[in-house]
Amino acid sequence: MKIGIIGAGNIGGNLTRRLTALGHDVSVANSRGPQTLTALAEETGATPVLVEEAANGAEVVVVTIPLKAVANLPKGFLDGAAANVAVIDTNNYYPGRDGRIAAILDEGLTESRWVARQIGHTVIKAFNGTYAQDILDAHRPAGAPDRLALPVAGDDEAAKRVVRALIDELGFDTVDSGTLDESWRQQPGTPVYGLREGVDAITKGLAEASPERTGDFKG
């Protein structure tokens, strides 16, 4: 597939490494410009581009930047994407880093619902509680007893199927955690956030989650 990745930090960089290794055509962008991505491009064969170009022709777009930066993404950056593009949101809201977002803290909007509103396109929430190194080191073949599972939330069932199939190709099982309005079940502070376990434990953790924000995540 043609895949655009916006953000070349820990998650974005390691997704670039794995997806190119699997044979996907990856374009990668960051806020500092393609000239800063030369090393990653040489390592992986990915194409460094401007943020405005990252989604061009893409069937999947990954947005993996600090949540506070989402509102500053170029207007219409998805205009050149494939008609049924699946947009993956890996982001988390950390009030200490991202500042006060009233729609999340006061109105109870889920983080990914807020992202979807900012970019004007529905998203699939995935990888938000995944350790970046696990993308490189913890992938396992289907059926392996120690295969990890990732929760996936979203409203668009077709896009969710595309994302779950891609995660399976990356070497992880998935558990459907519901719609974007239910994606609080995998936000920071919940039982599955950072949980390195299989399908049964992830399913149990999702069921035990509370929508109440806790600790440093309360704002």
Side-chain angles (χ1 to χ4, degrees), residues 67 89-95 103-105 108-115 125-130 151-153 177 179-195 205-206 209-214 217-218:
L67 197 78
D89 168 34
T90 79
N91 304 298
N92 294 304
Y93 177 41
Y94 303 123
I104 296 175
L105 295 178
L109 210 64
T110 61
E111 297 168 4
S112 287
R113 177 68 72 194
W114 183 86
V115 169
K125 188 176 188 72
F127 298 108
N128 73 291
T130 306
V152 179
S177 63
T179 66
L180 284 187
D181 289 335
E182 297 171 287
S183 63
W184 52 264
R185 294 183 182 277
Q186 65 191 80
Q187 289 180 173
T190 59
V192 300
Y193 180 70
L195 183 63
L206 289 168
S210 166
E212 190 72 29
R213 298 184 72 87
T214 60
F217 309 120
K218 281 172 72 170

Side-chain angles (χ1 to χ4, degrees), residues 9-199:
N10 294 332
I11 294 287
N14 285 352
L15 282 175
T16 299
R17 291 177 176 93
R18 286 283 292 131
L19 290 168
T20 51
L22 290 168
H24 295 286
D25 178 4
V26 177
S27 294
V28 61
N30 67 5
S31 61
R32 295 178 296 137
Q35 72 279 0
T36 66
L37 296 169
T38 303
L40 182 62
E42 289 176 351
E43 176 192 345
T44 64
T47 303
V49 295
L50 296 168
V51 173
E52 293 88 341
E53 302 168 341
N56 288 351
E59 299 156 84
V60 174
V61 173
V62 183
V63 179
T64 181
I65 58 179
L67 197 78
K68 64 182 179 181
V70 169
N72 298 322
L73 285 169
K75 210 167 185 59
F77 75 97
L78 291 170
D79 289 353
N84 299 313
V85 62
V87 180
I88 300 174
D89 168 34
T90 79
N91 304 298
N92 294 304
Y93 177 41
Y94 303 123
R97 178 196 67 185
D98 299 313
R100 194 169 203 288
I101 299 178
I104 296 175
L105 295 178
D106 300 337
E107 299 169 32
L109 210 64
T110 61
E111 297 168 4
S112 287
R113 177 68 72 194
W114 183 86
V115 169
R117 289 188 182 181
Q118 300 306 305
I119 68 173
H121 194 286
T122 195
V123 300
I124 304 298
K125 188 176 188 72
F127 298 108
N128 73 291
T130 306
Y131 290 94
Q133 196 60 34
D134 285 350
I135 294 170
L136 297 183
D137 299 340
H139 52 90
R140 300 289 185 271
D146 59 344
R147 202 182 206 217
L148 303 182
L150 310 183
V152 179
D155 298 338
D156 183 333
E157 290 300 324
K160 193 185 284 185
R161 285 193 295 272
V162 169
V163 172
R164 294 182 74 179
L166 188 64
I167 293 172
D168 178 59
E169 188 184 356
L170 283 163
F172 302 89
D173 288 332
T174 57
V175 176
D176 191 333
S177 63
T179 66
L180 284 187
D181 289 335
E182 297 171 287
S183 63
W184 52 264
R185 294 183 182 277
Q186 65 191 80
Q187 289 180 173
T190 59
V192 300
Y193 180 70
L195 183 63
R196 289 164 151 150
E197 293 287 350
V199 168

